Amino acid sequence: MPAASLLPLFGSAAGPGALGGPAGGGAGGGGRKAAGPGAFRLTEKFVLLLVFSAFITLCFGAIFFLPDSSKLLSGVFFHSAALQPPPPPPGGQPRAPPQPGAGPAGGGAAGAAAAGGAGSLERIRADHERALREAKETLQKLPEEIRRDIRQDKEKLLQDARGRKEAASAGLPRRPFRQPAGAVGQEPADPAVRQRRDKIKEMMKHAWDNYKRYAWGLNELKPISKQGHSSNLFGNIQGATIVDALDTLYIMEMKEEFKEAKEWVEKNLDFNVNAEISVFEVNIRFVGGLLSAYYLSGEEVFRKKAVELGEKLLPAFNTPTGIPWALLNIKSGIGRNWPWASGGSSILAEFGTLHLEFVHLSHLSGNPVFAEKVMNIRKVLNRLDKPEGLYPNYLNPSSGQWGQHHVSIGGLGDSFYEYLLKAWLMSDKTDEEGKKMYYDAVQAMETHLIRKSSGGLTYIAEWKGGLLEHKMGHLTCFAGGMFALGADGAPKDKTGHHIELGAEMARTCHESYDRTSMKLGPEAFRFDGGVEAIATRQNEKYYILRPEVIETYMYMWRLTHDPKYRQWGWEAVEALEKHCRVDGGYSGIRDVYNNHESHDDVQQSFFLSETLKYLYLLFSEDDLLPFEHWVFNTEAHPLPVLHKDDGNTEENQK
Ligand code: DMJ
């Protein structure tokens, strides 16, 4: 707000008369008069007037900005930042270096004075005259009119801020939208399958409607207590369920719901918050969700929001090695790692699960910086020795050395391997480096981690400094789908073997469900102490609506068309309906071996983005999101393959 509009508040002290006279005539208003003793000459009066008006301006400025002094300080005293080279524009074009002697952008009074021209003096004089004129006018106003002016000025400031935001996003290159093949599919030909698919859509509606009724705009729903649930993974970014569910709503053709979700994103999704977030979670759910929503619907708002958020995540890479921090304050840009992580390390599954989204951010923004950041992660990893060819879960971002030698294809490691394979597939099989890293890693897993129980169940153990822990997490069950998806490109003679590996994992994970009372899988199950595929510790018996087992059924179904995968998926639907569905949505379960449900009262956002989506795809025809055109990020958000013949060269896919 211009300080001038606040001048009347001091009106009685200064008095209109005090500011009248010569100033009213302006600097050029009259010739010099001889000054008598005690009287001022015209120029002296003018100088006094200048000093006085500057003082008043300063006073009002201070009073007006006092409640928000931090902004005043950074905006006024720290404005030298404007002399620093500005950050690169979103389009990634290098900026011209500042010209010697050029003042701050905008040509303000100070800059003009520094330039030292006579014209500048004129401008200063004119500015002050205008300020005085405005002051006099304001003094004539009624208090109500003054308040209205203040309101209008505030509104204008807000509008300007909105305009600047729009302008920033308008910096994105224009991009004609072409919907990738398979964004919509045909109805299943078989009526029984159609009926099952309709049932899954009804489940989505139940989950969505209750979220909308009780937790709209918040991150997740508490379906028993019927209120919002916030997880600290997203800081105070809001709307995780909305963004995570967008593409599921789209492919299920829930048009009204998609529209309301889009409107919420347009009006409310705000990343200008003082929030410490998990870089991984925000990337897979928010960036991934927005990217998919854009590629499916072509709505520009999703592209803009995805790129805006991607830019907010970039400071996470400001570490000596470029391996990003796990946690980032998106306002201050300060990052750190989880306090529990070995030796201050970053986590493999977190920094290794940015690749797909960041390649697409570069593709959609024209700014190579995103892809450069994730390609650098590969470079760091490829320089390191790997124990037995395995990737430990912990890597220190400062020293670039591994932390504790703990290897897992489940939690802390899982989606790193998934993204190596999918990076290769998403690049239309041009990313040879990703391909090699993936198949080498699978080879090391086979040698050191994959084992068969005495009862004939194949499982992936965890490796701790050379010793095996014969335990498999629910999270690890995604690997069945991964092995099958990668079978096609496996080194010679291994295609059948990789499909078989996928099938064996699917069977083991199905057993982990089948051996519980509720037919829902535990968080972790063991192959030691006389048990197979059963959780033995109380704190491993919970099920939180996770998708990984159903995800593997979906891949196995698509790649083999063996009907047992649909059958197993349907068993899961029945169990979810029986034990997890409550009036207010769907809830996780504390102990799947118990006959009575103890609900954890959380409807996880990934239930809508992954579990229900994979179920829906399991009962859809293969033409919906076909694998030759789409890859799913680790939160089940579909991203299109960047086909070579669409002009995506290997170079611009990096
Ligand atoms: C999801 O957020 C993602 O699948 C992630 O990769 C692992 N965990 C959850 C679901 O279980």
Side-chain angles (χ1 to χ4, degrees), residues 244 280-281 284-285 353 414-415 418 474-475 544-548 551 606 609-610 633-636:
D244 236 3
F280 161 78
E281 294 290 352
I284 65 170
R285 301 191 202 207
T353 310
D414 48 8
S415 39
E418 174 186 356
H474 192 290
L475 290 165
I544 55 166
L545 306 172
R546 286 200 192 277
E548 291 78 15
E551 173 182 350
F606 53 67
S609 77
E610 296 193 73
N633 90 338
T634 196
E635 188 79 0

Side-chain angles (χ1 to χ4, degrees), residues 248-265:
T248 309
L249 295 173
Y250 188 94
I251 65 163
M252 291 187 180
E253 298 181 52
M254 294 171 66
K255 296 198 172 129
E256 260 313 297
E257 289 84 351
F258 181 81
K259 189 165 158 266
E260 63 200 4
K262 186 197 115 191
E263 280 166 9
W264 186 89
V265 168

